[in-house]
mmCIF file of all heavy atoms in Angstrom:
data_model
loop_
_atom_site.group_PDB
_atom_site.id
_atom_site.type_symbol
_atom_site.label_atom_id
_atom_site.label_comp_id
_atom_site.label_asym_id
_atom_site.label_seq_id
_atom_site.Cartn_x
_atom_site.Cartn_y
_atom_site.Cartn_z
ATOM 1 N N LYS C 62 -0.128 -11.660 -14.209
ATOM 2 C CA LYS C 62 -1.480 -11.159 -14.401
ATOM 3 C C LYS C 62 -1.545 -9.640 -14.451
ATOM 4 O O LYS C 62 -2.298 -9.056 -15.232
ATOM 5 C CB LYS C 62 -2.392 -11.680 -13.286
ATOM 6 C CG LYS C 62 -3.865 -11.325 -13.500
ATOM 7 C CD LYS C 62 -4.757 -11.872 -12.408
ATOM 8 C CE LYS C 62 -6.214 -11.554 -12.702
ATOM 9 N NZ LYS C 62 -7.126 -12.034 -11.629
ATOM 10 N N GLY C 63 -0.764 -8.984 -13.591
ATOM 11 C CA GLY C 63 -0.793 -7.523 -13.584
ATOM 12 C C GLY C 63 -0.368 -6.933 -14.912
ATOM 13 O O GLY C 63 -0.998 -6.012 -15.437
ATOM 14 N N LYS C 64 0.707 -7.463 -15.487
ATOM 15 C CA LYS C 64 1.171 -6.997 -16.787
ATOM 16 C C LYS C 64 0.145 -7.308 -17.869
ATOM 17 O O LYS C 64 -0.085 -6.490 -18.770
ATOM 18 C CB LYS C 64 2.518 -7.643 -17.117
ATOM 19 C CG LYS C 64 3.039 -7.304 -18.506
ATOM 20 C CD LYS C 64 3.271 -5.816 -18.694
ATOM 21 C CE LYS C 64 3.853 -5.513 -20.071
ATOM 22 N NZ LYS C 64 4.002 -4.065 -20.304
ATOM 23 N N ALA C 65 -0.475 -8.486 -17.794
ATOM 24 C CA ALA C 65 -1.495 -8.849 -18.783
ATOM 25 C C ALA C 65 -2.673 -7.884 -18.730
ATOM 26 O O ALA C 65 -3.205 -7.466 -19.765
ATOM 27 C CB ALA C 65 -1.965 -10.282 -18.548
ATOM 28 N N LEU C 66 -3.091 -7.503 -17.525
ATOM 29 C CA LEU C 66 -4.189 -6.556 -17.398
ATOM 30 C C LEU C 66 -3.818 -5.197 -17.979
ATOM 31 O O LEU C 66 -4.612 -4.588 -18.708
ATOM 32 C CB LEU C 66 -4.586 -6.411 -15.930
ATOM 33 C CG LEU C 66 -5.350 -7.587 -15.320
ATOM 34 C CD1 LEU C 66 -5.457 -7.421 -13.810
ATOM 35 C CD2 LEU C 66 -6.742 -7.723 -15.945
ATOM 36 N N ARG C 67 -2.616 -4.724 -17.686
ATOM 37 C CA ARG C 67 -2.205 -3.420 -18.239
ATOM 38 C C ARG C 67 -2.113 -3.459 -19.754
ATOM 39 O O ARG C 67 -2.472 -2.490 -20.445
ATOM 40 C CB ARG C 67 -0.870 -2.981 -17.630
ATOM 41 C CG ARG C 67 -0.981 -2.453 -16.220
ATOM 42 C CD ARG C 67 0.209 -1.577 -15.854
ATOM 43 N NE ARG C 67 1.459 -2.291 -16.027
ATOM 44 C CZ ARG C 67 2.011 -3.083 -15.105
ATOM 45 N NH1 ARG C 67 1.391 -3.274 -13.955
ATOM 46 N NH2 ARG C 67 3.162 -3.680 -15.334
ATOM 47 N N THR C 68 -1.616 -4.568 -20.312
ATOM 48 C CA THR C 68 -1.585 -4.704 -21.769
ATOM 49 C C THR C 68 -2.996 -4.586 -22.338
ATOM 50 O O THR C 68 -3.229 -3.905 -23.346
ATOM 51 C CB THR C 68 -0.969 -6.052 -22.171
ATOM 52 O OG1 THR C 68 0.412 -6.084 -21.765
ATOM 53 C CG2 THR C 68 -1.044 -6.264 -23.680
ATOM 54 N N GLY C 69 -3.947 -5.236 -21.666
ATOM 55 C CA GLY C 69 -5.343 -5.166 -22.117
ATOM 56 C C GLY C 69 -5.917 -3.768 -21.987
ATOM 57 O O GLY C 69 -6.607 -3.282 -22.896
ATOM 58 N N PHE C 70 -5.645 -3.095 -20.872
ATOM 59 C CA PHE C 70 -6.151 -1.731 -20.677
ATOM 60 C C PHE C 70 -5.605 -0.794 -21.760
ATOM 61 O O PHE C 70 -6.335 0.046 -22.303
ATOM 62 C CB PHE C 70 -5.750 -1.205 -19.300
ATOM 63 C CG PHE C 70 -6.405 -1.914 -18.153
ATOM 64 C CD1 PHE C 70 -5.705 -2.162 -16.972
ATOM 65 C CD2 PHE C 70 -7.726 -2.334 -18.228
ATOM 66 C CE1 PHE C 70 -6.304 -2.806 -15.905
ATOM 67 C CE2 PHE C 70 -8.338 -2.984 -17.167
ATOM 68 C CZ PHE C 70 -7.622 -3.226 -16.004
ATOM 69 N N GLU C 71 -4.312 -0.918 -22.046
ATOM 70 C CA GLU C 71 -3.694 -0.060 -23.054
ATOM 71 C C GLU C 71 -4.328 -0.294 -24.425
ATOM 72 O O GLU C 71 -4.616 0.657 -25.172
ATOM 73 C CB GLU C 71 -2.193 -0.342 -23.106
ATOM 74 C CG GLU C 71 -1.446 0.116 -21.853
ATOM 75 C CD GLU C 71 -0.076 -0.518 -21.705
ATOM 76 O OE1 GLU C 71 0.266 -1.407 -22.532
ATOM 77 O OE2 GLU C 71 0.661 -0.145 -20.778
ATOM 78 N N TYR C 72 -4.538 -1.553 -24.770
ATOM 79 C CA TYR C 72 -5.133 -1.883 -26.071
ATOM 80 C C TYR C 72 -6.568 -1.347 -26.169
ATOM 81 O O TYR C 72 -6.957 -0.750 -27.176
ATOM 82 C CB TYR C 72 -5.111 -3.392 -26.285
ATOM 83 C CG TYR C 72 -5.698 -3.797 -27.611
ATOM 84 C CD1 TYR C 72 -4.894 -3.844 -28.756
ATOM 85 C CD2 TYR C 72 -7.045 -4.110 -27.735
ATOM 86 C CE1 TYR C 72 -5.437 -4.188 -29.983
ATOM 87 C CE2 TYR C 72 -7.591 -4.452 -28.956
ATOM 88 C CZ TYR C 72 -6.786 -4.493 -30.081
ATOM 89 O OH TYR C 72 -7.316 -4.826 -31.293
ATOM 90 N N ILE C 73 -7.340 -1.560 -25.111
ATOM 91 C CA ILE C 73 -8.745 -1.128 -25.130
ATOM 92 C C ILE C 73 -8.841 0.386 -25.201
ATOM 93 O O ILE C 73 -9.701 0.935 -25.913
ATOM 94 C CB ILE C 73 -9.470 -1.678 -23.885
ATOM 95 C CG1 ILE C 73 -9.588 -3.209 -23.990
ATOM 96 C CG2 ILE C 73 -10.852 -1.052 -23.743
ATOM 97 C CD1 ILE C 73 -10.033 -3.874 -22.706
ATOM 98 N N ALA C 74 -7.971 1.091 -24.481
ATOM 99 C CA ALA C 74 -7.994 2.557 -24.518
ATOM 100 C C ALA C 74 -7.750 3.081 -25.930
ATOM 101 O O ALA C 74 -8.314 4.108 -26.338
ATOM 102 C CB ALA C 74 -6.948 3.124 -23.557
#
Side-chain angles (χ1 to χ4, degrees):
K62 186 179 183 182
K64 176 61 177 176
L66 286 170
R67 284 201 304 274
T68 295
F70 293 143
E71 291 162 355
Y72 180 87
I73 292 169

